[in-house]
Amino acid sequence: MENPFVSTETETSVLTPEALGKEIFEGKGMCATCHKADVETSGPSIKDISKIYTDKKASISLFLQGEMDPIVDPSQYEIMKANLEITKAMTEAELQALETYMLSIK
Ligand code: HEC
Protein backbone atom coordinates (compact mmCIF):
# COMPACT_ATOMS: atom_id res chain seq x y z
CA MET A 1 0.00 0.00 0.00
CA GLU A 2 1.22 3.49 -0.81
CA ASN A 3 2.29 5.67 2.05
CA PRO A 4 0.61 9.08 1.65
CA PHE A 5 3.27 10.80 3.74
CA VAL A 6 6.07 9.67 1.45
CA SER A 7 4.24 10.72 -1.69
CA THR A 8 3.62 14.24 -0.28
CA GLU A 9 7.30 14.51 0.60
CA THR A 10 8.26 13.59 -2.95
CA GLU A 11 6.00 16.25 -4.45
CA THR A 12 7.41 18.94 -2.18
CA SER A 13 11.01 18.16 -3.03
CA VAL A 14 10.19 18.06 -6.75
CA LEU A 15 9.06 21.70 -6.66
CA THR A 16 11.97 23.84 -7.91
CA PRO A 17 13.03 26.79 -5.71
CA GLU A 18 11.66 29.09 -8.40
CA ALA A 19 8.23 27.41 -8.37
CA LEU A 20 8.17 27.34 -4.57
CA GLY A 21 9.14 31.02 -4.52
CA LYS A 22 6.29 31.91 -6.89
CA GLU A 23 3.87 29.97 -4.71
CA ILE A 24 4.95 31.84 -1.57
CA PHE A 25 5.04 35.20 -3.40
CA GLU A 26 1.46 34.84 -4.61
CA GLY A 27 0.23 32.84 -1.64
CA LYS A 28 1.05 33.18 2.02
CA GLY A 29 3.60 35.98 1.50
CA MET A 30 0.89 38.12 -0.12
CA CYS A 31 3.68 39.93 -1.97
CA ALA A 32 1.78 39.96 -5.27
CA THR A 33 -0.76 42.44 -3.88
CA CYS A 34 1.91 45.15 -4.12
CA HIS A 35 4.45 43.74 -6.60
CA LYS A 36 3.53 42.90 -10.22
CA ALA A 37 6.00 41.46 -12.70
CA ASP A 38 6.69 44.53 -14.79
CA VAL A 39 4.43 47.39 -13.78
CA GLU A 40 4.86 49.55 -10.70
CA THR A 41 1.77 49.45 -8.44
CA SER A 42 1.83 50.03 -4.67
CA GLY A 43 5.38 48.73 -4.78
CA PRO A 44 8.14 48.62 -7.41
CA SER A 45 7.80 45.94 -10.12
CA ILE A 46 9.59 42.65 -9.55
CA LYS A 47 11.59 43.41 -12.71
CA ASP A 48 12.94 46.68 -11.25
CA ILE A 49 13.81 45.02 -7.94
CA SER A 50 15.46 42.12 -9.76
CA LYS A 51 17.54 44.44 -11.94
CA ILE A 52 18.80 46.55 -9.03
CA TYR A 53 19.63 43.52 -6.88
CA THR A 54 21.42 41.84 -9.81
CA ASP A 55 23.39 44.99 -10.67
CA LYS A 56 24.42 45.58 -7.07
CA LYS A 57 24.95 41.88 -6.35
CA ALA A 58 22.78 42.37 -3.26
CA SER A 59 20.84 39.69 -1.38
CA ILE A 60 17.03 39.80 -1.35
CA SER A 61 17.06 37.13 1.32
CA LEU A 62 19.16 39.31 3.67
CA PHE A 63 16.86 42.28 3.05
CA LEU A 64 13.82 40.14 3.89
CA GLN A 65 15.49 39.09 7.15
CA GLY A 66 15.78 42.77 8.08
CA GLU A 67 19.58 42.63 7.85
CA MET A 68 20.04 45.07 5.02
CA ASP A 69 18.92 48.63 4.28
CA PRO A 70 16.57 49.18 1.31
CA ILE A 71 18.29 49.99 -1.98
CA VAL A 72 15.33 50.18 -4.39
CA ASP A 73 13.11 52.96 -3.01
CA PRO A 74 14.17 53.95 0.52
CA SER A 75 11.57 56.76 0.61
CA GLN A 76 8.79 54.10 0.56
CA TYR A 77 10.50 51.71 2.96
CA GLU A 78 7.94 52.16 5.76
CA ILE A 79 5.29 50.44 3.58
CA MET A 80 7.56 47.48 2.86
CA LYS A 81 8.91 47.27 6.39
CA ALA A 82 5.60 45.94 7.77
CA ASN A 83 6.00 42.85 5.57
CA LEU A 84 9.34 41.96 7.12
CA GLU A 85 7.37 40.65 10.09
CA ILE A 86 6.07 37.95 7.73
CA THR A 87 9.36 37.21 5.98
CA LYS A 88 11.46 37.19 9.16
CA ALA A 89 9.36 34.22 10.28
CA MET A 90 10.17 32.27 7.10
CA THR A 91 12.77 29.55 6.81
CA GLU A 92 16.07 30.01 4.98
CA ALA A 93 14.76 27.74 2.20
CA GLU A 94 11.60 29.83 1.79
CA LEU A 95 13.59 33.06 1.62
CA GLN A 96 16.02 31.57 -0.90
CA ALA A 97 13.05 30.42 -2.97
CA LEU A 98 11.55 33.93 -2.91
CA GLU A 99 14.90 35.36 -3.98
CA THR A 100 15.32 32.82 -6.81
CA TYR A 101 11.80 33.54 -8.06
CA MET A 102 12.20 37.33 -7.98
CA LEU A 103 15.61 37.24 -9.70
CA SER A 104 14.19 34.98 -12.42
CA ILE A 105 11.98 37.87 -13.58
CA LYS A 106 13.98 40.03 -15.97
C1 HEC B 1 1.70 46.73 1.15
C2 HEC B 1 2.47 46.62 -0.07
C3 HEC B 1 3.64 45.65 -0.13
C4 HEC B 1 3.62 44.29 0.12
C5 HEC B 1 2.44 43.43 0.55
C6 HEC B 1 4.96 43.82 -0.14
N1 HEC B 1 5.78 44.84 -0.53
FE1 HEC B 1 7.74 44.72 -1.07
N2 HEC B 1 7.81 46.74 -1.29
C7 HEC B 1 6.73 47.61 -1.16
C8 HEC B 1 7.18 48.97 -1.39
C9 HEC B 1 6.32 50.23 -1.32
C10 HEC B 1 8.56 48.89 -1.66
C11 HEC B 1 9.52 50.06 -1.96
C12 HEC B 1 10.24 50.45 -0.69
C13 HEC B 1 11.59 49.79 -0.55
O1 HEC B 1 12.37 49.79 -1.51
O2 HEC B 1 11.86 49.25 0.54
C14 HEC B 1 8.93 47.46 -1.60
C15 HEC B 1 10.19 46.95 -1.82
C16 HEC B 1 10.54 45.61 -1.84
C17 HEC B 1 11.87 45.10 -2.13
C18 HEC B 1 13.09 45.94 -2.42
C19 HEC B 1 13.70 46.46 -1.12
C20 HEC B 1 14.83 47.43 -1.32
O3 HEC B 1 15.99 47.00 -1.33
O4 HEC B 1 14.57 48.63 -1.43
C21 HEC B 1 11.81 43.74 -2.05
C22 HEC B 1 12.94 42.75 -2.23
C23 HEC B 1 10.43 43.40 -1.73
N3 HEC B 1 9.68 44.55 -1.60
C24 HEC B 1 9.95 42.11 -1.57
C25 HEC B 1 8.69 41.81 -1.09
C26 HEC B 1 8.26 40.46 -0.74
C27 HEC B 1 9.09 39.20 -0.90
C28 HEC B 1 6.98 40.56 -0.28
C29 HEC B 1 6.10 39.47 0.29
C30 HEC B 1 6.62 38.76 1.44
C31 HEC B 1 6.60 41.98 -0.36
N4 HEC B 1 7.67 42.70 -0.84
C32 HEC B 1 5.36 42.49 0.00
C33 HEC B 1 5.43 47.26 -0.88
C34 HEC B 1 5.00 45.99 -0.53
Side-chain angles (χ1 to χ4, degrees):
M1 206 179 128
E2 230 181 288
N3 180 336
F5 177 73
V6 170
S7 83
T8 310
E9 276 285 295
T10 311
E11 270 173 41
T12 309
S13 59
V14 158
L15 214 58
T16 61
E18 193 178 318
L20 176 65
K22 184 172 196 285
E23 196 173 283
I24 298 169
F25 197 89
E26 293 169 356
K28 73 169 181 176
M30 293 187 301
C31 321
T33 49
C34 295
H35 298 290
K36 305 293 175 218
D38 57 14
V39 285
E40 187 172 338
T41 52
S42 316
S45 69
I46 305 175
K47 220 176 191 172
D48 286 345
I49 296 174
S50 167
K51 185 177 188 318
I52 290 169
Y53 271 78
T54 303
D55 288 351
K56 301 204 170 178
K57 297 188 170 60
S59 163
I60 290 178
S61 160
L62 275 184
F63 171 77
L64 295 175
Q65 288 171 76
E67 288 171 19
M68 211 191 83
D69 291 333
I71 54 175
V72 174
D73 189 358
S75 70
Q76 299 294 307
Y77 180 53
E78 284 306 312
I79 302 171
M80 179 56 208
K81 206 175 165 187
N83 298 290
L84 299 187
E85 291 313 313
I86 301 173
T87 54
K88 277 179 186 170
M90 289 182 185
T91 65
E92 189 83 33
E94 288 175 317
L95 293 171
Q96 277 306 325
L98 273 177
E99 172 159 349
T100 305
Y101 168 64
M102 292 185 80
L103 294 182
S104 77
I105 295 179
K106 300 198 189 304

